[in-house]
Structure formats: C-alpha cells, structure tokens
Amino acid sequence: MNGRGRAPGRHTAAGLALLLVAALLAALVAGCGGRPAADGTRTAVQDVLDRRAAALLDRDAAAWAATGDPAGYDRLRAVPLAAWSYRVTAVHDDGPGSGGDALRADAELRYRIAGYDRAPVTTDRVLRLVRDPAGRWRVTGERPAPKTGEQLWDRGTVTAVRGTHSLVLGVGGSAERLRTQKAVAGLADRAVPAVTDAWGPRWPRRVLVLVPDTLDGMAALLAAPAADYRGIAAVTTGETGGGPGAPADRIIVNPEAYGLLGAAGRQVVLTHETTHVATRTATNAATPLWLSEGYADWVGYRGTGRTPRDAAPELEKALRDGQEPTALPPDGDFGFTGDAGRLARAYEGGWLACRMIAERWGEGRLDAFYRAVGERGKRAGAVEGALREVLGVDLADFTARWRTYLRDELG
C-alpha cells in the first residue's frame, strides 16, 4: 500500500511502537513463506540443478536419478532438446519443521527444441529439494511457478511424431493419441507448402504442434480458464514481430474441439494456424485482427472451393436480418470469451476483406498490404497508409467496397 499523503516529521513513541509491531508482522508473514536460505545452500542447489540439466541433455538416466526424483526423465525423454538449463533465483526453507533439510527453490528454466527454437523458451519453475543423510540435496518435485503456464511434460510422458515439415508432441502414449499425432503431422505437412505458396518462402517452413490430453490440458499450457477455449480448435502462441531472437511459435491443439471437425475442417485449422507462424515476423501491434485472422483464413480456405455462403453463415444471416456491418471488425470482436456469433462474424468479415483484396487487386497485393502494415510498426495510421500505398484507396473507400462485396456475395 502506498503511503500517499503522509507528512514528514518525527516519530512519536506510539508511532515507534506501531512500526515495531508492523515489522514483527512482516517478519511473521515472511516466515510463512519460508526463510531465505544461506548463499552456500543456494550455490549447492544451483549445482544439483546444473547436474540435472546436463544429465537430461546427455540422455543419462542414471545421472539424472542421482540428482533426485527419477520420474521426470521419462516424461522428457522423447523431447528433442538442444538446450536445458536452470537459473536459481531464490531458495527458501520449506516451511516450519523442515529443520533446514527441505527447501523450495524458485528457478528460471530455459530450453530449446532442436530444429525449431532459434532462442530459448524461458519459464519460471518451483522445485522442492531434500537433504539426504550424506548431506546432498536431491530434487523431489518440480512444477510451474504460480500464474505460469504448464509445459507439456507437466501433463504426462511426452511422445513425439516427426513429419516432413513438422514436429508433433503429445502426451499419454495411447494408440489413439499416437494416431491423432500422426494425423496432425500429416495435415501440418500439407499446410506448410500451402502457406509457402501463398506467403512465399521467407519463413522457417516448419511447425511445432502440441497436442495436450484434454481441453483442460490446453488451458493449463496457456495459463487461462478452459472456458475461454472450449469451442476453439487450435491456437498459435508466439511473440508478434518475433525475429531471430524469438523462440518458435507453438500451435496448440484443443483435442476436444478439433476432434469434432471433419477432415476438411481440420486441414483448414492447421493451415490457418501455420499461416500465423509464417506471418509472425510481419505482424505487430499495428496489425488489426481482421487482417491477421482474415489472412490466415484466406490461406486456410485457398484452393478448397469454399464459397462465402459456405464459410460465412453468420454474416449471411446478419445481412438477411438487416444487420449489415458498417465497419470492419474491431479487435474487441475477436475475443474468445465474448458472444460466439459476434466472434464468428468477425472472422468471416476479416476473411472476406482479404478475399476481396486477392480477387480485385491480386494475391501479390494482398501479401504486400499485409507486410506494409507491419513495416509501419506502431505508428498511427499504419492501415490507412498501407491502403493508400499498396491498394490506392483510403479507409472509407475500402470499407465501402467491402460492404458492397458482402452484399454481392451474401445478400
């Protein structure tokens, strides 16, 4: 709490007493979370975590077991790791009664997936350790830090399926789940060349896909409520504008919603998400969601023969009911937690805007427009400037043309 409004002055005896009480309470509260351990203990904990990381990278199960709980090794064995390291940030006695023989360590985990991550993924972890009779620290457990997303191996033993252009990591290892992973790899392998054909070759041209066990598992990876993603078949995580210093995007599949789709729908979803991977470096805060999501849908539907009436039923209904949109979909309409109909209309409207550009100005101009918006970065008027430069129209003219296009295609 801020001490705003407090005037400077000498402390009275009563004031000093209050300060002493406050200090005592603060010490008691700190004690509930465990006292900070000595620097020598922190160094010892860092050493055991360094040995644990080296054992994992060396694929040495015995060396891993020598550092503590052996269970995590099997969970991670199938993950193709290029790097794995911990940096201890704090060490605390693990609560009253531990006698200094049980610790909680806060650590930063950095890892890279071989062939995919150009830079490490960084995530906060909490580890518990105990001292054995010989005085050595051993890890007894590891979990995500509070308010931090899980990693896939927190859900169970990871299985890996490699495609020509993809790596699909899942959990569980059942025959059914392995079949799902193989099917996803096949769709991803078709998505990559389809995206390259539309966007061009200047992107890694490979995708990393995570298939958790359940919707709850997907939500845990995203550190979000499951309800936010109940009807969402897949999402892509990554840093907008991510360049050479960014980890690879992860496409995360919701096995429940994805499983309800037919073969064509699954391919559209994987191609849509792969498009986000390809366009990431050209996407930033200036890129409106109607463009980034609309372009991904345009690539996803490209070549499928899907017509606006097939793929935009919510917008068609809105026009039929006399509720024609007056403006391009705002970013707020793309929220997963809002009205499902509004979300569908937003996606459909963005797709039809990009489809109109591709038809009337050409596919090359659509790509150039997307890149031009991104090149303007956070500057005001990025979309308006790109419209004038690439398409030769202003925002009002473009919006009017889009509304006419909706009527022509759906009315």
Side-chain angles (χ1 to χ4, degrees):
M1 184 173 67
N2 292 327
R4 186 172 52 196
R6 179 177 299 166
R10 293 183 301 166
H11 295 298
T12 65
L16 287 171
L18 287 172
L19 286 173
L20 289 171
V21 171
L24 178 60
L25 287 174
L28 289 172
V29 171
C32 292
R35 293 174 298 154
D39 287 344
T41 301
R42 178 167 170 169
T43 300
V45 170
Q46 183 66 64
D47 176 69
V48 74
L49 295 186
D50 288 346
R51 288 188 286 113
R52 195 167 177 83
L56 180 62
L57 292 173
D58 292 342
R59 302 300 183 188
D60 188 336
W64 171 279
T67 66
D69 179 16
Y73 182 85
D74 286 338
R75 290 185 170 205
L76 283 158
R77 186 168 50 186
V79 181
L81 293 168
W84 183 281
S85 65
Y86 297 95
R87 183 178 67 86
V88 177
T89 57
V91 177
H92 303 273
D93 286 343
D94 198 11
S98 70
D101 290 330
L103 295 176
R104 187 190 76 244
D106 300 327
E108 177 185 85
L109 169 64
R110 292 164 61 86
Y111 70 89
R112 286 191 298 114
I113 302 294
Y116 288 85
D117 289 325
R118 294 161 291 181
V121 174
T122 302
T123 185
D124 293 330
R125 308 287 284 180
V126 175
L127 298 100
R128 295 192 181 277
L129 301 95
V130 297
R131 184 155 38 199
D132 67 17
R136 296 169 300 193
W137 289 105
R138 295 172 60 83
V139 176
T140 60
E142 179 180 341
R143 59 178 172 79
K147 299 182 181 179
T148 301
E150 290 185 350
Q151 300 300 309
L152 189 64
W153 45 88
D154 292 321
R155 307 294 304 176
T157 299
V158 176
T159 52
V161 172
R162 289 188 179 274
T164 305
H165 306 292
S166 61
L167 173 64
V168 182
L169 302 178
V171 288
S174 70
E176 181 181 357
R177 288 178 180 171
L178 282 172
R179 280 195 298 270
T180 297
Q181 283 180 246
K182 290 176 181 178
V184 168
L187 296 175
D189 283 347
R190 287 193 286 275
V192 167
V195 171
T196 300
D197 185 61
W199 181 249
R202 295 179 61 185
W203 67 289
R205 285 173 287 168
R206 57 184 182 271
V207 291
L208 175 58
V209 187
L210 308 184
V211 186
D213 48 344
T214 60
L215 167 61
D216 287 339
M218 177 195 194
L221 297 181
L222 296 167
D228 291 358
Y229 296 94
R230 191 166 304 282
I232 307 302
V235 298
T236 300
T237 65
E239 300 176 12
T240 56
D249 290 356
R250 271 79 166 139
I251 297 173
I252 304 178
V253 172
N254 172 0
E256 296 175 18
Y258 182 82
L260 297 176
L261 299 173
R266 293 175 184 178
Q267 185 65 72
V268 169
V269 165
L270 261 297
T271 305
H272 174 111
E273 301 303 335
T274 300
T275 303
H276 285 313
V277 176
T279 59
R280 181 70 68 195
T281 57
T283 307
N284 55 42
T287 310
L289 289 175
W290 70 259
L291 178 57
S292 60
E293 297 298 342
Y295 184 85
D297 265 355
W298 175 73
V299 178
Y301 286 126
R302 183 172 177 259
T304 66
R306 296 292 296 275
T307 69
R309 292 186 186 278
D310 294 331
E314 289 294 326
L315 262 181
E316 181 183 22
K317 181 178 183 300
L319 264 65
R320 191 168 60 244
D321 294 343
Q323 298 174 351
E324 177 185 325
T326 59
L328 291 159
D331 284 2
D333 284 2
F334 288 86
F336 292 161
T337 59
D339 176 73
R342 181 173 62 185
L343 175 64
R345 291 189 294 274
Y347 272 86
E348 293 166 5
W351 168 58
L352 287 167
C354 292
R355 188 176 188 268
M356 179 185 75
I357 295 172
E359 286 186 355
R360 298 190 176 179
W361 281 275
E363 294 185 1
R365 290 282 189 91
L366 173 58
D367 291 351
F369 171 63
Y370 195 111
R371 289 184 166 94
V373 172
E375 287 168 1
R376 283 166 167 74
K378 297 180 180 179
R379 285 181 292 169
V383 174
E384 292 84 344
L387 283 169
R388 287 191 294 270
E389 175 190 326
V390 179
L391 304 183
V393 296
D394 61 20
L395 181 58
D397 186 14
F398 181 80
T399 302
R401 293 179 184 224
W402 171 72
R403 293 179 67 196
T404 300
Y405 186 74
L406 296 185
R407 291 192 294 271
D408 290 344
E409 297 293 330
L410 301 173

